[in-house]
Amino acid sequence: MSGTVHCREPSACSEAERWAFSRLVRQGFPAARDLDRRVRAARWLGFHYAPGDALAGVAALKVPSARYRRTMFRRAASPVSPAGCELELGWVFVAPGHRKHGIAAGLCRLLLERVPAAAVFATTRPTNQSMITILRGLGFARVGQHFPRRGEQLALFVRLPGRDLDASDG
């Protein structure tokens, strides 16, 4: 699908861009807490605008707290330490009318190109096969086991450039 794709640091975005980003994130993640502050604190924000300038998809490289990282890795019983994984790929959401066109994969790839040597983690529902396929295609491996969070099951994925992981496939 054609359109305009760009990646920016939150401080380089206008208030309107950050608001539009947050609005689309809330469609996919209605339980997201303190979203406006967390969007401003992210490392990179990715935007995909469809022809006509409609925001079709978003994704981010977030900078979660050390406590959050430890909690996610502990809940997943991860054999990988969260210490080096200071970035989280997340808030990946494509508006329903724009799905199945590679927008999410393109946004994730664009963001990860900004931090090629960084260790990055992501979580997704173990039933979200589209996201799992994207993550694996970008060098992520599932580690640990599924774990509950806010009423749903999640799976932890980690990308450690230059290092192979003993990942679980389940």
Side-chain angles (χ1 to χ4, degrees):
M1 175 177 257
S2 64
T4 305
V5 180
H6 67 266
C7 182
R8 290 192 179 149
E9 293 177 333
S11 62
C13 296
S14 68
E15 193 65 34
E17 285 176 305
R18 286 192 305 266
W19 179 84
F21 182 96
S22 295
R23 184 170 162 251
L24 198 54
V25 168
R26 281 188 181 95
Q27 285 182 36
F29 307 95
R33 296 177 180 166
D34 199 15
L35 188 58
D36 295 330
R37 181 193 61 78
R38 291 171 56 215
V39 166
R40 283 190 302 276
R43 176 78 50 89
W44 292 99
L45 302 177
F47 301 81
H48 182 106
Y49 290 92
D53 290 331
L55 186 57
V58 294
L61 278 175
K62 304 186 282 182
V63 185
S65 71
R67 179 180 176 193
Y68 171 83
R69 288 183 285 128
R70 284 191 307 267
T71 298
M72 294 296 100
F73 280 65
R74 179 182 45 78
R75 286 183 177 172
S78 172
V80 176
S81 168
C85 294
E86 296 180 2
L87 295 174
E88 178 183 15
L89 178 64
W91 296 328
V92 180
F93 184 75
V94 176
H98 299 279
R99 293 181 181 161
K100 305 291 184 199
H101 297 286
I103 293 172
L107 284 168
C108 292
R109 189 176 311 104
L110 179 67
L111 289 166
L112 292 171
E113 286 171 356
R114 299 288 193 260
V115 293
V120 179
F121 75 97
T123 59
T124 191
R125 291 179 310 280
T127 57
N128 187 343
Q129 196 55 53
S130 295
M131 192 65 205
I132 291 169
T133 299
I134 290 168
L135 291 171
R136 286 187 173 147
L138 293 170
F140 284 79
R142 193 176 77 107
V143 296
Q145 59 195 15
H146 301 162
F147 61 97
R149 182 154 195 268
R150 295 188 184 150
E152 63 184 359
Q153 289 290 308
L154 293 179
L156 176 67
F157 287 79
V158 176
R159 183 193 78 155
L160 301 174
R163 188 169 146 211
D164 287 333
L165 296 173
D166 283 332
S168 52
D169 290 325

